[in-house]
Amino acid sequence: MYPVITISREFGSGGHSIGEAVAKQLNIPFYDGEIVNRVAIESGYAKELIETQGEYTSSTAMWFDISAAGTMYFQSPQDEIFIAQKKVILDCASKGPCVIVGRCADYILRKEGVRCMNVMIHADMEHRKKRVLERYENIENVSIEKRLAKKDKQRKTYYKYYTDKTWGDFREYDVILDSGLLGEEMCVKTICDLATNYPE
């Protein structure tokens, strides 16, 4: 039986597309946008808020949460969204092999003892810029590097806050693939091959 496959990814590296293709090839469920929909039901927050608060944060926002927590009982919307996401992720994994993208799923599942294969997808800046410019309209090339760096920083801050681990640290993953060098098809094939022969 395949493990649950989690996909962590740098913004613009193609992690969503790779995860979706892996799920299709292995004929197992794929969870990314669906998690947003389910968390919206669980938490009562709008999907737009969950999309922006479910993986990203700023150092300023976290400083406010920590400061407020020290003076009174306080659970921010982001904390509530994380709790709801954790519940949904564990429920998805409990139903069998699947692919889950982002949202600290690698940490959440490993901590709960779920058999999973944690994958990190990254790429060099030029490949990421090219992909983002092709996929998203109305993004100026002049600001794309700052946008990519900001997204990665926000994911890193979010991951550190909720896991006390370092996002992107090779020790936290079973497989790390450079989609810029290998291409998406090779990344998909590699993940599928490894999942098929993953240790019980």
Side-chain angles (χ1 to χ4, degrees), residues 1-3 26 115 117 190-199:
M1 180 182 291
Y2 305 127
L26 297 179
R115 179 173 172 264
M117 184 172 81
T190 301
I191 294 169
C192 289
D193 288 346
L194 290 170
T196 301
N197 297 286
Y198 201 72

Side-chain angles (χ1 to χ4, degrees), residues 53-65:
Q53 297 290 307
E55 282 192 284
Y56 303 102
T57 194
S58 67
S59 298
T60 303
M62 287 307 183
W63 178 86
F64 172 76
D65 287 354

Side-chain angles (χ1 to χ4, degrees), residues 7-191:
I7 305 286
S8 300
R9 73 281 185 231
E10 289 183 325
F11 187 72
S13 65
H16 174 94
S17 300
I18 290 169
E20 192 171 30
V22 167
K24 184 176 181 180
Q25 188 163 321
L26 297 179
N27 194 30
I28 57 178
F30 174 73
Y31 298 110
D32 190 357
E34 184 178 334
I35 291 178
V36 173
N37 295 332
R38 290 184 58 181
V39 170
I41 295 171
E42 289 278 347
S43 67
Y45 287 106
K47 289 192 292 184
E48 293 77 15
L49 181 63
I50 295 166
E51 287 171 347
T52 58
Q53 297 290 307
E55 282 192 284
Y56 303 102
T57 194
S58 67
S59 298
T60 303
M62 287 307 183
W63 178 86
F64 172 76
D65 287 354
I66 294 168
S67 298
T71 58
M72 61 181 177
Y73 174 77
F74 181 81
Q75 191 169 75
S76 69
Q78 190 163 56
D79 289 338
E80 292 179 348
I81 289 170
F82 177 79
I83 292 168
Q85 281 189 163
K86 178 179 178 180
K87 182 178 178 181
V88 171
I89 287 168
L90 290 172
D91 181 63
C92 291
S94 71
K95 296 175 180 177
C98 59
V99 176
I100 303 175
V101 176
R103 299 173 178 83
C104 301
D106 56 319
Y107 173 82
I108 290 169
L109 297 180
R110 181 168 284 173
K111 188 175 181 181
E112 294 295 324
V114 176
R115 179 173 172 264
C116 56
M117 184 172 81
N118 296 325
V119 179
M120 178 67 177
I121 304 294
H122 70 100
D124 62 82
M125 184 61 74
E126 289 307 309
H127 279 92
R128 295 167 64 196
K129 283 172 57 178
K130 182 174 183 293
R131 191 176 190 284
V132 170
L133 289 169
E134 289 173 350
R135 183 172 181 181
Y136 301 100
E137 297 180 358
N138 303 320
I139 293 182
E140 297 179 4
N141 189 24
V142 68
S143 64
I144 189 64
E145 288 191 20
K146 289 184 179 179
R147 179 180 171 86
L148 290 169
K150 182 179 180 181
K151 287 284 189 180
D152 286 344
K153 183 178 180 180
Q154 289 175 328
R155 282 181 179 170
K156 187 174 184 178
T157 301
Y158 180 93
Y159 191 88
K160 179 68 175 179
Y161 181 75
Y162 285 108
T163 71
D164 201 29
K165 301 288 185 179
T166 302
W167 180 81
D169 185 341
F170 72 92
R171 289 167 292 190
E172 303 301 326
Y173 308 98
D174 304 303
V175 184
I176 300 177
L177 298 172
D178 184 338
S179 60
L181 175 66
L182 300 174
E184 290 190 17
E185 288 188 11
M186 180 60 73
C187 288
V188 172
K189 183 180 185 304
T190 301
I191 294 169

